[in-house]
Amino acid sequence: MVGRGTFFVGFAAGLLATTLGAAAAPAAPNAAAVAVEKQAIETARLDSGADNFAAAEGEYRKLLALQTRMYGTDSAPVGDTLAELALQVSNQGRFDEAAALFRRAEPIVQVTASPAARARLASYQALDAANQRDYVDALKYARQSTAARRAEVADARKAMQAASGGQPVIPPNEGELAHSLRIEAEMALRLGDLASAEAASQEALWIVTQEPGLPLWWRADVVSLMGEVSAAGGRVVPAERDFRDARDLDKTIFGDTAPTALADIRLGEFYSAQQLYPASIEAYRAAFAILAKDPVARSEVVPDQIVPFEAAAAASNDPTLDADMFRASQLADSGIADQVIARVAARQAAGNAELAQLIREAQAAQTARDTARVDLAAEYAKPDEVRSRPREDQLNSEIERSSAQADALFVKVAQTFPDYAKLADPGPAALSAVQAQLQPNEALVTFVIGVKSSFALLVTPKGLTTMPLQVTQDSLAGDVAELRKAFVPEAGHLPVFSLKTAYSLYQGLLQPLSGKLAGVDHLIVVPGGVLSSLPLSLLVTQPPGDGQDYSNAAWLIRSMAVSQMPSPRAFLALRAERDRHATAPRAFLGVGDPNFSGANGVAGMKALSAAATQCREEGPMPADILRALPPLPDTAHEVQAVAAQMGAGSTVLLGAQASEPNVRAQALDQYRVVYFATHGLLPGELHCAGEPGLALTPPAVATSTNADGFLSASEIAALKLNADLVVLSACNTAQESNRFGGGSLQGLADAFFASGARAVLASHWEVPSQATTQLMIGVFNGAGHQQGLAQALRQSQLTLISQGATAHPFNWAAFTIIGEGSTLGRVAAINQFAQNEGGAKP
């Protein structure tokens, strides 16, 4: 499997379906429960085989609850399902949570009577290690699993021969062995051991070819791996044949869905590496046609799969490919922000009975289509003498009927609930549309940052510039972590900020595009990945020398204003919204200094981490979790100072008043600026498919999500705002655990956009209240002078830089405009100081 660094997931899912359903129960469950269990296993198998890991996770969670009731918490089926659930969570990049699930599964599986279950757990641990690119451990686990399964097959063969009196016997099922061999081959290939990879993959291919009853997509997976091994060994002709054969088989089994798109991408990657650029572009276009209409398929694409297309298109020197290059850059996985919005969309669907029913019916039709495709592929695989033409015709009819039904239902969803459709599946933005919305002094830059290689794409009103970059995900993560260390005070002192690292990052990210940035004074950045956790305004554009002269450093913000957008599609949507709504009549709603009573320092950071990673499904946030957060007393002065600056029509909620019910009770669509000075709980990994949100004053006891003191992204998206600006001050990006939270921050901003906000001014770390107050007053002064939000922020930041006491970027660089930062236009009255008729309303 390609996707989020995952490997051979469909293989594992099919294997579990054939073994888990047969697990013995300590007590005989009723027939209805068994039927539900069987259906859950089958649905999860199909979802995982189609690379829909989020859906598979949901099914395995339901299955786990059912089996716990049927068999008990320490039963073999529960242990197996925990292991499978752990793998699905790992496939989505939530490795901490996956580790916890594996820890729950291991003691159950290790005491089971089944050696196969223990070997299967080792193979899943291999896949989890591979997802984290720890191929050494992955190969170790895979070889443990292979050895155990070889022994199991040998023991079974001996037992069968003894029982038959030495007569020839049907060999035992070797599907589990093929599974381990496949993983072993994949890991050996990643470590450059081609001989071991080829031997293991050939044996796996022989087994899946000869063994009856195994899922048919196993053969496609193994054949594709054989292509990778051949390509790595320089055997181009057999590699091309294997990639094509695997793609054709995936298309037969899955049709135009995720596995086929990923198979086309693998073929395109191969052709690009061979510098066969027209063939590469053709294969990629076949994949893009599927991705354009399948959000599940899009969610599995990662940057390293897109960079080869960008390279092929760039090498073609064909301007007609510019639009394709820009569209392709948006298909690469944008990580946590996408997960946040997917979760918000799912909750919105669940909250509307008619919408939820339409989606259920459409998904049921898709499941029926996919089941029929698998059954048809199985029929095609039979020898000619036993194939059934009537059965094939029946299955073809079912595929056509179910496909048409699913398509019609999704069209109805888009027509009946257009806001949901835009949120759930916005699709990529067109290059021409983005160019048309850019001002002459603006440029939009987006990055495709891969494990192996990267690309930058710069859009101006005049055209598109693409450039390969030398940076990678790992190098960027290291640099961002290094720079962010300077924003965690130690014993009351600020660590040194590395101007050299900031300059090195500029060289890697923007210097290759510097020739096209002449005349640009507003750079709109679509960062993605770890770049979402670092404001690019603090990059340094000239060699800094050996000193630490922050006041005179060549910060990027000296050259241009910088704002962020979650995506090019969000850029278009927010530009369209900019002048569509009437100006809200009231100036300012400020919320700050909620009633928290936790400790500061290290203990406070631990409390923030605990709250950010709280694993909860549908229930309220426990009140004691929020009460344990460190207090923010300085934010009261911050909010009051900004409110006084904003003048009449301002409302302030502090302390006990800064509660979720009080916020909800406000006429939120009446305020031009909505200001939250509180903890933002922004986990870098979304535990239990959770969401980021804002912490408010908790109740004595939390009894409902609407009044628990945690305003989640889904709840934010359901609010009704008409805000030109939402400010999120004192946000927490989980720095203490090195899980960058910028993606969550982008997702939270997206939720505010869905609620009616047009820009979010958010902080990436907690900054001193005095510096923040000065910064904000400068921003709103600038806004009042028609400079636009991004330019107003820039001027206010430059003021702090010019003052030696606040020149360290800890004081001025934390805040970033996410969203519409070009101009306030008709809303220049955002802070009409002269109309101060009474100041802030307490």
Side-chain angles (χ1 to χ4, degrees):
M1 193 278 158
V2 187
R4 302 177 187 271
T6 52
F7 297 91
F8 214 24
V9 179
F11 215 119
L15 182 63
L16 187 66
T18 62
T19 56
L20 184 57
N30 62 56
V34 171
V36 173
E37 178 189 28
K38 182 178 179 181
Q39 181 58 52
I41 292 172
E42 177 65 17
T43 303
R45 177 182 71 90
L46 286 171
D47 286 336
S48 184
D51 302 333
N52 190 348
F53 307 131
E57 177 192 349
E59 290 300 324
Y60 281 117
R61 288 192 183 279
K62 295 176 186 175
L63 180 62
L64 180 63
L66 175 65
Q67 290 178 327
T68 299
R69 293 193 299 270
M70 291 171 63
Y71 307 125
T73 56
D74 296 328
S75 61
V78 165
D80 282 337
T81 300
L82 278 169
E84 178 62 20
L85 177 60
L87 181 58
Q88 300 305 324
V89 170
S90 174
N91 291 339
Q92 298 173 73
R94 289 158 30 214
F95 301 125
D96 287 353
E97 187 183 349
L101 289 166
F102 276 123
R103 285 195 296 271
R104 288 176 58 192
E106 188 160 12
I108 300 174
V109 173
Q110 292 300 339
V111 301
T112 184
S114 168
R118 293 193 291 272
R120 186 163 56 249
L121 175 63
S123 68
Y124 287 3
Q125 290 170 318
L127 292 170
D128 174 56
N131 287 345
Q132 300 176 67
R133 304 205 302 275
D134 183 356
Y135 303 125
V136 173
D137 267 3
L139 183 58
K140 177 190 70 176
Y141 281 123
R143 284 177 169 163
Q144 288 176 0
S145 180
T146 298
R149 284 165 173 167
R150 284 195 192 282
E152 185 182 7
V153 169
D155 289 345
R157 183 176 286 111
K158 289 178 182 178
M160 295 170 74
Q161 287 176 341
S164 67
Q167 298 298 314
V169 297
I170 299 174
N173 189 298
E174 297 183 76
E176 298 244 16
L177 176 58
H179 174 235
S180 290
L181 286 165
R182 171 62 173 87
I183 301 172
E184 183 180 333
E186 186 83 63
M187 300 312 110
L189 176 62
R190 292 294 181 266
L191 293 171
D193 185 353
L194 298 186
S196 296
E198 184 166 13
S201 59
Q202 285 180 342
E203 185 178 359
L205 180 61
W206 184 88
I207 292 173
V208 299
T209 302
Q210 300 299 318
E211 190 74 61
L214 298 180
L216 289 173
W217 62 82
W218 289 22
R219 178 178 175 84
D221 285 336
V222 180
V223 169
S224 179
L225 176 59
M226 293 291 294
E228 289 188 65
V229 173
S230 294
R235 300 187 298 275
V236 176
V237 173
E240 179 184 19
R241 180 193 64 234
D242 288 339
F243 283 127
R244 283 191 168 276
D245 287 349
R247 188 275 314 275
D248 292 344
L249 184 53
D250 274 328
K251 188 173 180 64
T252 299
I253 298 171
F254 296 108
D256 290 337
T257 58
T260 303
L262 296 175
D264 275 317
I265 286 175
R266 284 191 290 270
L267 184 60
E269 289 179 275
F270 165 74
Y271 283 136
S272 182
Q274 302 301 320
Q275 299 184 7
L276 300 171
Y277 299 129
S280 176
I281 291 169
E282 179 184 359
Y284 269 106
R285 279 180 163 165
F288 294 161
I290 298 173
L291 298 175
K293 58 183 181 180
D294 188 342
V296 171
R298 285 202 300 276
S299 71
E300 302 310 323
V301 176
V302 296
D304 282 295
Q305 296 167 311
I306 295 300
V307 170
F309 171 77
E310 305 288 2
S316 300
N317 292 318
D318 183 356
T320 64
L321 292 173
D322 284 356
D324 291 335
M325 295 179 72
F326 186 64
R327 189 178 298 110
S329 71
Q330 300 170 66
L331 297 174
D333 168 38
S334 61
I336 292 174
D338 275 355
Q339 295 181 50
V340 172
I341 293 306
R343 183 69 167 174
V344 169
R347 286 189 181 273
Q348 285 196 357
N352 183 301
E354 182 184 357
L355 174 58
Q357 182 61 27
L358 282 173
I359 293 173
R360 280 195 296 270
E361 291 175 1
Q363 291 174 340
Q366 287 180 320
T367 299
R369 175 202 65 195
D370 295 342
T371 301
R373 280 176 175 156
V374 172
D375 291 343
L376 181 62
E379 198 67 34
Y380 286 157
K382 294 178 180 177
D384 289 342
E385 61 271 17
V386 297
R387 283 176 58 178
S388 169
R389 182 59 181 270
R391 173 66 172 158
E392 292 174 9
D393 291 344
Q394 175 192 351
L395 291 169
N396 272 312
S397 297
E398 172 63 18
I399 292 169
E400 292 178 6
R401 185 191 67 78
S402 299
S403 295
Q405 183 181 7
D407 290 345
L409 286 166
F410 280 122
V411 168
K412 187 175 180 179
V413 167
Q415 293 174 342
T416 311
F417 301 97
D419 290 341
Y420 164 81
K422 291 177 183 177
L423 188 64
D425 185 18
L431 174 62
S432 58
V434 171
Q435 287 181 271
Q437 288 294 331
L438 288 170
Q439 300 299 314
N441 62 330
E442 292 181 321
L444 181 145
V445 63
T446 183
F447 300 97
V448 184
I449 307 294
V451 173
K452 300 176 183 177
S453 54
S454 304
F455 240 83
L457 298 92
L458 181 72
V459 185
T460 67
K462 296 180 180 179
L464 175 72
T465 301
T466 62
M467 194 70 63
L469 304 177
Q470 299 303 309
V471 298
T472 65
Q473 287 181 10
D474 289 341
S475 70
L476 277 180
D479 287 343
V480 170
E482 176 66 25
L483 290 178
R484 284 184 60 94
K485 288 179 182 177
F487 308 138
V488 182
E490 299 174 353
H493 298 283
L494 286 175
V496 171
F497 177 84
S498 175
L499 295 174
K500 290 185 177 180
T501 301
Y503 175 59
S504 176
L505 260 183
Y506 170 78
Q507 288 179 300
L509 292 169
L510 292 178
Q511 192 173 63
L513 301 166
S514 58
K516 297 294 184 179
L517 289 173
V520 171
D521 64 13
H522 179 202
L523 182 64
I524 302 162
V525 181
V526 181
V530 296
L531 282 182
S532 300
S533 295
L534 190 78
L536 296 194
S537 57
L538 54 63
L539 297 185
V540 174
T541 62
Q542 298 292 331
D546 296 328
Q548 296 296 330
D549 186 358
Y550 302 129
S551 291
N552 294 305
W555 306 109
L556 179 63
I557 199 67
R558 293 190 188 278
S559 304
M560 60 189 68
V562 180
S563 63
Q564 287 186 8
M565 279 286 178
S567 66
R569 173 59 63 186
F571 168 74
L572 292 181
L574 292 173
R575 281 284 160 104
E577 289 289 321
R578 184 176 55 189
D579 301 318
R580 184 175 296 173
H581 296 279
T583 303
R586 305 188 68 181
F588 179 85
L589 171 64
V591 182
D593 190 22
N595 283 350
F596 305 136
S597 55
N600 288 299
V602 174
M605 297 297 278
K606 290 181 178 179
L608 281 168
S609 180
T613 58
Q614 173 71 13
C615 185
R616 60 193 186 94
E617 292 300 326
E618 302 298 333
M621 174 73 79
D624 58 339
I625 293 287
L626 294 181
R627 270 194 294 274
L629 296 178
L632 298 167
D634 288 348
T635 61
H637 170 73
E638 175 187 333
V639 172
Q640 288 172 325
V642 176
Q645 190 79 341
M646 296 297 291
S650 294
T651 299
V652 173
L653 302 175
L654 300 175
Q657 291 186 336
S659 67
E660 186 175 355
N662 279 353
V663 170
R664 291 181 179 276
Q666 306 303 311
L668 297 175
D669 61 348
Q670 299 298 297
Y671 292 97
R672 297 191 291 275
V673 175
V674 179
Y675 196 115
F676 291 95
T678 185
H679 294 299
L681 304 182
L682 309 173
E685 296 176 1
L686 297 181
H687 287 235
C688 300
E691 299 175 38
L694 301 176
L696 302 172
T697 295
V701 177
T703 57
S704 73
T705 56
N706 286 338
D708 62 356
F710 180 64
L711 198 59
S712 70
S714 290
E715 292 173 311
I716 289 167
L719 300 176
K720 295 188 181 300
L721 274 65
N722 182 23
D724 301 305
L725 179 64
V726 171
V727 179
L728 304 180
S729 178
C731 281
N732 161 46
T733 58
Q735 167 70 15
E736 75 286 350
S737 57
N738 291 323
R739 289 191 303 271
F740 300 120
S744 286
L745 190 60
Q746 298 258 18
L748 193 61
D750 261 334
F752 275 108
F753 298 153
S755 73
R758 288 171 284 283
V760 173
L761 178 57
S763 66
H764 285 269
W765 53 85
E766 294 185 30
V767 296
S769 180
Q770 184 176 355
T772 300
T773 302
Q774 183 179 349
L775 183 75
M776 289 300 166
I777 290 174
V779 166
F780 293 120
N781 271 325
H785 290 114
Q786 295 273 340
Q787 295 182 55
L789 284 172
Q791 289 292 346
L793 176 62
R794 176 195 178 201
Q795 293 301 325
S796 192
Q797 289 175 323
L798 290 174
T799 298
L800 266 68
I801 292 171
S802 68
Q803 301 167 359
T806 53
H808 190 294
F810 171 77
N811 296 296
W812 60 263
F815 283 90
T816 299
I817 290 288
I818 306 175
E820 181 48 55
S822 65
T823 178
L824 293 179
R826 62 176 181 77
V827 297
I830 193 170
N831 58 342
Q832 297 174 355
F833 309 125
Q835 297 184 12
N836 189 345
E837 299 174 355
K841 189 185 301 180

